[in-house]
Amino acid sequence: ELNRARNWQDFRAALSQSPGPCMNFIYADRAGNIGSQVAGLVPLRVGFDGGVPLDGASGAFEWRGFLPFDQLPSTFNPSSGLVVYANGDPFPQGASAAVPGGFHSPYRERRIRARIESRRNWTAGDMLSIQTDVYSSFSHFLARQVLAACARHGHERPALGPAAEILRRWDGRMEADAAAPMLAELLYQHLRTAIGNRASPGRGLLYQSRSAATAVERLLAERPAGWFDDYDRLLLDCLQDAIDEGRRMQGQDLARWRYGRMNLLHLRNRVAGQLPLVGKYFNAGPQPMSGSSETVNMILREEQLIGPSMRMIIDLGDFDRSQAVLTLGQSGQVLSRHYKDHWRAYIEGRGLPMPFYKVEGKETLVFMPEAD
């Protein structure tokens, strides 16, 4: 029914039947309408939000059914003229049901809005520059916090001077061939661990929440009593830890560090990639990557580095001007010439034509039924 929808009403009617976990669907049509709709089953909980384990045997934490579809977040033609989501929380403050989830920090959505609002007359091709944007407002904030601490106490730790100078010249872009992003990322990792240890001693490394950056920024901005006696000292200690770790990874000269060497994307074919001698030809990478978990071009560190699985731009004014690029290519067949024909465009941040109507087939595969 979703594929048959011809307008916003059909779209919502189809989604109202969604029987699974919640997802956020984005809508646009050729008449210029835009919208978004959360769809799926949201349990109704009273007195708890389901964010932590509870005593299921007590009977005090039972679901009271599901949130009605009409109470799920929905937006149609907002006054801002934009609908932007980037793995954030679509449920507004004061929503009728508490909905925990693995939501991301809001930095990516803010950056997308800022980029779009910075000019007019965007074209489909221009939008690719937003999808590949690697500016991190959070990492830039963190760098400025450290620089302020160095300005107040740097005379006590002159060894931090070279690192401070690298951060002072940095523009906040998480570029693979720069040293500052590596320093900022290591600083964040040590700071997040220190905060986690303060909350739960000895367990700081377990603090890997996707919204951790928001909590870290708030803690540094507000500096509440009871967490740390001296936030400047915390920042300078973590900066020193970041320098020490970086030197173990890439040597003594900070200026020669490269963020991409710790941000390597390696796509492995789980079958053909295991073959002796020839398996490496069916894998891609390791490839130094720009971006981080807080940039529009999101790069996540989980069990392995994860990048965008696809980039797509749809031009509703002229579908034939749409673009798309996958990580490797159209074919999953390792001997096909299309197996890795997207890889270079993906790495370089280019889009490839995705025509809807003006399709010129180079070859045709015909299936002929045969009688038994």
Side-chain angles (χ1 to χ4, degrees), residues 86-88 103-109 210-215 293-294:
N87 305 109
F103 304 119
H104 283 258
S105 300
Y107 304 105
R108 298 171 62 234
E109 290 181 8
R210 291 181 176 178
S211 59
T214 306
S293 60
E294 309 305 335

Side-chain angles (χ1 to χ4, degrees), residues 299-335:
I299 304 294
L300 284 178
R301 286 184 184 84
E302 295 189 344
E303 293 182 3
Q304 62 184 34
L305 204 72
I306 301 173
S309 59
M310 176 180 65
R311 299 187 186 104
M312 180 184 289
I313 300 165
I314 303 298
D315 188 334
L316 282 96
D318 182 352
F319 280 105
D320 285 309
R321 288 198 304 232
S322 301
Q323 299 180 21
V325 67
L326 303 173
T327 49
L328 289 182
Q330 282 283 76
S331 174
Q333 301 294 332
V334 295
L335 299 181

Side-chain angles (χ1 to χ4, degrees), residues 155-177:
H155 62 281
E156 302 169 11
R157 304 194 189 188
L160 300 179
E165 185 58 29
I166 287 173
L167 292 176
R168 187 173 292 110
R169 297 195 305 264
W170 185 42
D171 62 0
R173 292 172 58 82
M174 304 296 284
E175 296 282 7
D177 61 354

Side-chain angles (χ1 to χ4, degrees), residues 94-134:
S96 54
V99 183
F103 304 119
H104 283 258
S105 300
Y107 304 105
R108 298 171 62 234
E109 290 181 8
R110 292 175 187 168
R111 178 63 174 172
I112 293 169
R113 287 185 179 274
R115 285 290 308 274
I116 294 176
E117 291 171 348
S118 68
R119 50 170 282 199
R120 299 178 64 84
N121 300 320
W122 288 90
T123 67
D126 293 337
M127 298 300 289
L128 190 62
S129 71
I130 297 180
Q131 291 188 351
T132 56
D133 191 294
V134 294

